[in-house]
Amino acid sequence: MRQKVVLVTGANGEIGHGLIRYLAENTEANIVALDVVPLDKSLRDLCSSYIVGDILDQMLLGRLVVEHEIATIFHLASILSTKAEYNPETAHRINVEGTLNLLRLAVEQSQWQGTPVKFIYPSSIAAFGIPTLAEKMKAGPAKEDEWHHPTTMYGCNKLYCENLGHYYGAFYRQLAADCGTAETIDFRSIRFPGLISAETIPTGGTSDYGPEMLHAAAQGEPYACFVRPDTKIPFMVMPDAIKALVRLADAPRERISQIVYNVTSFSLSAQDIHDIVMKAFPEAQIDFEVDACRQKIVDTWPEEIDDSAARRDWDWQPDYDCDRAFNEYLIPAIRSRYQKVEMK
Ligand code: SER
């Protein structure tokens, strides 16, 4: 008998680390991890199997379904907003064609199993695009259906893949003879703000100045923040991001009233983060050296987002406000992490 599994793509990434640990510690799930690089050693024992491979490799995905019955997919693999601008077409292939491959795999699996495969997709504040800074300042909390003109390849990819998920969940091959009877997928997506983890440092994102400032300070390394001090966007710590993914995946289907949900915890300016970090690590050396191009990207992202739909439909509530996030999670965990490294 094939084993029923939860597939996690992009398993080695920041969210992958937190999610795999959470699922292993709190559920009975058999986790199959997929990533282009070998899975972090600390995660290997937590998974039933881990596969090194590319989501663009159709043969690999074909083999995956021969061996496993996939009940849920957390499709985390993605090229983030800064990295995507260096090679937008490659980013498009990974972010869109990769997602398309997994959506098709999920539909086929749903049809074989006669029950919808759950497809959980992290989207992003990058899906928003506010045309001018003046509009950003007076916009107020952005709702899911507002400001749909992202200016990055990553943002375009995320917005489009949310729509692809909607299509695969409700309209896939809508003119086929078996339309309406064939099983399809249960697609659910979350628009995350900038994420900050104590365990990992992000790569290739444009909200990275937040976590980078903190991790650099804790390691005693100088840091030049690449956005203006007044730049404000929403952030969330990793435990809350994992909570949101798991809560959304577990929510009864009848309570899900939309394809994409905003979630948020707290909004901070780069100056706010600087001040919090300096208080915790007074020796830190943090400057502001604005990168005009990356600044332009962050200037299109909302200062705040409205997550009332998630609160209403699946009782979303973050565990960490700003104070708790830094004082009870980030600062102590990061401090002990780098102290341990020094002692080694
Ligand atoms: N963290 C992402 C990025 O910076 C935004 O969701 O690309």
Side-chain angles (χ1 to χ4, degrees):
M1 255 251 307
R2 290 184 319 153
Q3 207 182 27
K4 218 179 181 124
V5 300
V6 172
L7 173 65
V8 180
T9 74
N12 249 333
E14 283 215 283
I15 302 180
H17 271 80
L19 181 67
I20 289 174
R21 202 166 290 286
Y22 179 90
L23 292 175
E25 284 168 6
N26 297 283
T27 72
E28 301 289 306
N30 296 306
I31 305 164
V32 173
L34 173 63
D35 204 295
V36 276
V37 293
L39 192 65
D40 195 328
K41 286 204 178 80
S42 68
L43 299 177
R44 291 183 187 175
D45 287 345
L46 307 178
C47 300
S48 314
S49 64
Y50 64 92
I51 300 159
V52 182
D54 192 332
I55 52 172
L56 295 174
D57 181 349
Q58 305 266 13
M59 290 286 281
L60 175 96
L61 296 181
R63 279 205 307 277
L64 205 71
V65 299
V66 170
E67 285 161 25
H68 306 284
E69 184 176 320
I70 299 168
T72 304
I73 299 174
F74 288 92
H75 175 40
L76 313 179
S78 185
I79 302 285
L80 294 183
S81 59
T82 288
K83 198 168 168 201
E85 293 310 310
Y86 289 103
N87 195 337
E89 289 76 22
T90 299
H92 186 278
R93 266 194 293 285
I94 293 164
N95 292 347
V96 175
E97 286 172 38
T99 302
L100 201 66
N101 287 346
L102 282 146
L103 286 167
R104 200 172 56 207
L105 175 152
V107 172
E108 281 170 11
Q109 281 280 294
S110 305
Q111 289 170 354
W112 277 99
Q113 294 171 26
T115 183
V117 167
K118 265 189 201 158
F119 197 108
I120 310 300
Y121 181 66
S123 184
S124 158
I125 43 164
F128 294 108
I130 305 181
T132 64
L133 192 53
E135 282 169 282
K136 165 169 167 151
M137 309 279 241
K138 58 174 199 289
K143 291 199 165 52
E144 284 87 349
D145 59 357
E146 292 178 321
W147 308 110
H148 276 180
H149 295 288
T151 61
T152 60
M153 179 51 99
Y154 172 72
C156 293
N157 296 164
K158 286 291 180 192
L159 189 61
Y160 176 57
C161 287
E162 292 171 2
N163 282 298
L164 278 182
H166 182 221
Y167 169 77
Y168 272 78
F171 303 104
Y172 183 59
R173 296 173 67 242
Q174 57 192 299
L175 300 183
D178 62 356
C179 173
T181 53
E183 218 29 272
T184 181
I185 60 169
D186 181 356
F187 179 90
R188 305 171 181 197
S189 142
I190 288 184
R191 273 198 207 141
F192 279 125
L195 298 181
I196 316 182
S197 169
E199 324 300 329
T200 48
I201 306 175
T203 44
T206 319
S207 60
D208 293 3
Y209 59 89
E212 281 173 358
M213 221 188 285
L214 187 56
H215 282 267
Q219 292 173 87
E221 287 172 3
Y223 183 71
C225 176
F226 57 81
V227 294
R228 286 187 320 268
D230 67 309
T231 307
K232 188 173 169 190
I233 57 165
F235 285 97
M236 173 179 287
V237 288
M238 197 53 77
D240 271 334
I242 304 307
K243 175 182 173 180
L245 283 172
V246 172
R247 278 281 165 93
L248 176 63
D250 287 347
R253 204 172 185 183
E254 59 281 6
R255 290 196 61 191
I256 299 295
S257 66
Q258 53 196 62
I259 288 295
V260 53
Y261 289 94
N262 287 344
V263 291
T264 187
S265 303
F266 47 83
S267 289
L268 292 177
S269 69
Q271 181 72 48
D272 294 332
I273 302 177
H274 166 275
D275 295 350
I276 294 169
V277 170
M278 288 308 296
K279 201 168 151 211
F281 303 99
E283 311 286 291
Q285 251 182 281
I286 305 171
D287 298 316
F288 288 88
E289 276 173 32
V290 177
D291 174 330
C293 299
R294 293 179 94 184
Q295 178 74 56
K296 245 166 90 182
I297 293 176
V298 188
D299 282 345
T300 69
W301 296 349
E303 288 196 342
E304 287 177 27
I305 54 178
D306 178 336
D307 62 1
S308 53
R311 288 173 186 265
R312 178 196 66 216
D313 284 3
W314 40 279
D315 307 316
W316 159 248
Q317 215 189 334
D319 288 333
Y320 293 86
D321 60 11
C322 175
D323 192 44
R324 215 178 147 219
F326 282 92
N327 295 323
E328 291 184 31
Y329 167 62
L330 291 169
I331 292 168
I334 289 179
R335 204 173 250 142
S336 96
R337 179 193 149 128
Y338 293 116
Q339 268 162 7
K340 269 189 223 142
V341 173
E342 267 169 29
M343 277 156 56
K344 271 186 193 165

